[in-house]
Amino acid sequence: MLSDSADKSVRAIRVLAGGTDLVPSMRQKLFEPESVLDLRLVKELRGIRETEQGIEIGALTTLREIETSRLLREQYPVLVDAARTVASPVIRNMGTIGGNICLDTRCLWYNQSLAWRKSCGFCIKKDGDLCHVAPGGSKCWAAFSGDTPPALLCLKAEIEIASAAGKRRIPLSEFYTGIGDDYRRLQPNELLTRVILPKSSAGYRGVYRKLRIRGSIDYPLAGVAVAVKRSNGHIDDFRLGITAVNPAPLLVKGTDNLIANGSSLEEIAEAAADLAARTAKPLTTSALTPEYRREMIRVFTKRAVLEVLGQRPLLACPERVE
Ligand SMILES: Cc1cc2nc3c(=O)[nH]c(=O)nc-3n(C[C@H](O)[C@H](O)[C@H](O)COP(=O)(O)OP(=O)(O)OC[C@H]3O[C@@H](n4cnc5c(N)ncnc54)[C@H](O)[C@@H]3O)c2cc1C
Ligand code: SF4
């Protein structure tokens, strides 16, 4: 673990977990650390364990391990569904849950080679002082584009963050800032060490649906996670998370009201879709238009809600742009 006295030099360090995003980003000179701290041999950060409080997942656990975990599939299916849509099988064999949570935000103007970015005069997120997406503003709107965080938000997951000074545990919802170029609350001398899924979220039926250009291997351009708890035909709790359409993954607010007033399942699905689409604020950070991405949030939310409520068959494959 890094000592606090090393804090200054630590700014020049990047942590490598699976390296599936870090290495390509370094090649594009998006990150130019002096040193890379390779975590891959830290066994203590791997594995899925059942505890009294729920389930703990080590930050270095691969997405493949999550995708194939029987325990998670039985108790937290929305997370398994989201994990199995990340990139491709080869990448999921290396990519970790910690790396997916800490993933850098993405933008059409940023995820490019040095020469490409230089030709456009760079931008606020790296090396420049203007935003091509919202010219005149001083904020970066790059979109958070990880698949598992909306599912984890639906499960009210917490994360453990460690440094030489000790450990702290926070709800995942407090980890993200909503600012594209400073998107996570993680000090340079801190590591994400564990993800905790509470027992109270076990048994929620859930699905994750995403929009992507290449169905076999692509980041989400819009993603929706839905988790529902039902008993005796009644909906007890209903959670909805979205990703890739804002600088942070978000839990959609107001879903409690949807189930309170005795509406039909179709009406609940329509209202949830409206809420999700209103929460989504996509901008021109990707190759697909903001209007299309917002509309697909609406479409996927409605379909996903009807699927988890048993009104539509669960789809065999993740959806993509036709
Ligand atoms: C072609 C391609 C397609 C992809 N498609 C998708 C996709 O569909 N969906 C998706 O979500 N992602 C996608 N990714 C991105 C990436 O593969 C995954 O997000 C993966 O889960 C990242 O995990 P990793 O362990 O490889 O992270 P790394 O690349 O090792 O790290 C990613 C970032 O997190 C930081 N980090 C990693 N672990 C920790 C930790 N424990 N504590 C603190 N910081 C940490 C690193 O410093 C780095 O900034 C894609 C990548 C590629 C190359
Ligand atoms: S949103 Fe603006 S500042 Fe942020 S990466 Fe895109 S162009 Fe750059």
Side-chain angles (χ1 to χ4, degrees), residues 107 109-110 123-125 130-133 139-142 285:
C107 176
W109 300 89
Y110 169 72
C123 75
I124 293 170
K125 190 156 161 66
L130 69 107
C131 174
H132 303 285
V133 167
K139 181 175 170 181
C140 169
W141 296 92
T285 53

Side-chain angles (χ1 to χ4, degrees), residues 8-321:
K8 234 178 173 179
S9 57
V10 115
R11 285 173 197 286
I13 292 182
R14 276 274 168 179
V15 164
L16 182 142
T20 60
D21 192 69
L22 183 75
V23 172
S25 298
M26 284 173 58
R27 290 216 176 106
Q28 290 181 316
K29 307 269 185 236
L30 299 174
F31 305 144
E32 298 175 272
E34 279 171 23
S35 317
V36 170
L37 180 65
D38 186 347
L39 297 179
R40 281 175 302 173
L41 295 181
V42 186
K43 284 202 303 282
E44 292 77 4
L45 296 185
R46 280 193 184 281
I48 301 167
R49 280 173 292 278
E50 209 163 3
T51 69
E52 279 190 1
Q53 299 169 356
I55 286 184
E56 282 185 6
I57 308 176
L60 283 189
T61 307
T62 64
L63 296 164
R64 177 74 183 145
E65 289 171 84
I66 290 174
E67 184 187 357
T68 54
S69 159
R70 199 161 155 192
L71 192 59
L72 292 177
R73 181 170 294 281
E74 283 170 6
Q75 299 193 24
Y76 304 94
V78 68
L79 176 60
V80 172
D81 211 29
R84 75 186 178 89
T85 72
V86 173
S88 65
V90 171
I91 290 179
R92 294 198 295 277
N93 273 331
M94 294 186 72
T96 65
I97 185 83
N100 201 240
I101 292 171
C102 292
L103 192 64
D104 193 12
T105 53
R106 296 181 63 80
C107 176
L108 191 63
W109 300 89
Y110 169 72
N111 296 96
Q112 303 288 353
S113 67
L114 178 64
W116 196 102
R117 287 181 289 120
K118 191 175 177 190
S119 71
C120 300
F122 297 106
C123 75
I124 293 170
K125 190 156 161 66
K126 178 118 189 354
D127 300 328
D129 55 10
L130 69 107
C131 174
H132 303 285
V133 167
S138 57
K139 181 175 170 181
C140 169
W141 296 92
F144 180 82
S145 307
D147 283 305
T148 64
L152 292 169
L153 288 174
C154 285
L155 297 173
K156 302 236 157 102
E158 295 191 330
I159 52 173
E160 181 188 84
I161 291 172
S163 72
K167 292 177 186 170
R168 62 191 174 99
R169 200 161 135 173
I170 58 165
L172 179 64
S173 56
E174 290 175 15
F175 184 60
Y176 299 105
T177 62
I179 302 167
D181 58 341
D182 188 15
Y183 60 98
R184 57 184 187 182
R185 295 189 174 90
L186 190 73
Q187 298 303 314
N189 64 339
E190 290 181 323
L191 283 181
L192 193 161
T193 44
R194 232 176 289 278
V195 182
I196 303 107
L197 305 179
K199 227 173 205 162
S200 57
S201 294
Y204 276 59
R205 191 175 152 101
V207 297
Y208 176 73
R209 295 290 168 253
K210 75 189 262 190
L211 176 71
R212 55 179 162 180
I213 293 179
R214 297 169 296 178
S216 56
I217 177 173
D218 239 333
Y219 292 86
L221 296 178
V224 175
V226 176
V228 172
K229 186 177 189 185
R230 292 187 85 173
S231 56
N232 303 324
H234 180 263
I235 304 171
D236 297 328
D237 194 13
F238 175 30
R239 302 174 189 165
L240 185 52
I242 58 173
T243 190
V245 280
N246 296 80
L250 295 174
L251 199 60
V252 174
K253 292 185 183 143
T255 49
D256 292 352
N257 303 332
L258 303 182
I259 54 175
N261 57 13
S263 311
S264 71
L265 297 185
E266 184 76 21
E267 285 168 341
I268 291 175
E270 291 268 0
D274 270 354
L275 266 187
R278 278 206 300 271
T279 309
K281 305 269 186 273
L283 295 174
T284 53
T285 53
S286 80
L288 298 180
T289 65
E291 294 78 13
Y292 181 61
R293 284 159 63 209
R294 190 183 301 108
E295 190 51 27
M296 291 314 287
I297 287 280
R298 181 192 306 282
V299 169
F300 285 168
T301 303
K302 182 171 177 193
R303 286 183 194 166
V305 171
L306 289 175
E307 278 176 52
V308 281
L309 295 180
Q311 296 297 294
R312 279 172 67 107
L314 287 171
L315 292 173
C317 343
E319 301 184 42
R320 62 190 172 91
V321 179

